Amino acid sequence: GTWKTADCKDNEGHPSCTPCKEGQEYTEEKNYLDYCRRCDFCDEEHGLEVEKNCTRTQNTKCRCKANFFCNGSSCDLCEPCITCEHGIIEKCTPTSNTKCKGKESGSNLPWLLCLLVIPIILAIIWEILKFLPFVKCNTGAFQSKNLKEEMEPLNFRDVDLSKYITSIAELMTLNQVKEFVRKNGMKEPKMDEIKNNHPQDTAEQKVQLLRNWYQHHGKKGAYDALIKSLPKDIAEKVQDMVQKDITSNDENADFKSENERQSMA
């Protein structure tokens, strides 16, 4: 509940301490900090509300509002509970989404139709291809190039992440960002400094935490370190985003080069 104002004046003495501002700042344990930590803000736009107010010795405790949930005991944002069309198995709780009943009748009909129609479509395509031999000749080089690209994935190990930081931050929760930068060498004082600079803007906190990590890590190996540390679903989204961007840039470069070649001709 206090922070260090001045160092000890005598041997075996105690430093001078000042109380944190009630309802605005806190420290949960004995410390030698030169400041108090700012109380967390429960963002209503992210489905949160205050469960316990902040005191000098305890941070704010947030929870999901009614009809919102998150998967875990500590959440930076809550998602709206889904509504069921065919009945509820389990109601939505602060830590789990609604579980719905499936449609009881006719649910297998679409699958049966697919099983019947797909072989017919494939057979028709095969017959068409047999009568178009020139397609194989004219597109062979193109197909070979695409096949080679698929077999040899691009190496993004040293891709420049700076322009993707904001988009990556949007895919992650604040806790996920904190856990990542902490595991990758960021010290608590720096994390506290970023939090204190943006006390009620969790989105900006995430961006600044990732940006600071990237500046200290450097470009080499940063992408690889990020992908290996992220949850699988987020890592796949980041990989897809980077790959699409790089592929688009390569296509634009090829298009520009072809136009320049034709202009010279």
Side-chain angles (χ1 to χ4, degrees), residues 179-216:
E179 183 179 357
F180 168 73
V181 298
R182 189 179 287 116
K183 285 183 178 179
N184 285 273
M186 186 176 292
K187 304 300 182 184
E188 292 294 334
K190 185 62 182 179
M191 295 173 65
D192 285 339
E193 177 186 334
I194 292 173
K195 178 181 176 182
N196 290 334
N197 288 340
H198 310 279
Q200 296 184 358
D201 192 344
T202 55
E204 186 62 22
Q205 287 181 38
K206 292 189 291 183
V207 171
Q208 293 304 322
L209 285 167
L210 288 173
R211 197 179 302 281
N212 187 268
W213 161 75
Y214 186 55
Q215 288 173 349
H216 284 79

Side-chain angles (χ1 to χ4, degrees), residues 2 13 91 116 150 181 246:
T2 60
K91 292 183 178 180
L116 292 172
E150 290 176 3
V181 298
I246 291 179

Side-chain angles (χ1 to χ4, degrees), residues 1-6 16-20 25 27 31 33-36:
T2 60
W3 59 284
K4 186 185 72 172
T5 310
S16 299
C17 298
T18 299
C20 300
E25 302 173 336
T27 54
N31 64 84
L33 296 174
D34 295 328
Y35 54 85
C36 293

Side-chain angles (χ1 to χ4, degrees), residues 216-233:
H216 284 79
H217 186 284
K219 180 179 178 181
K220 188 173 182 60
Y223 177 82
D224 193 44
L226 178 68
I227 294 301
K228 289 180 178 179
S229 299
L230 292 177
K232 183 179 178 181
D233 59 330

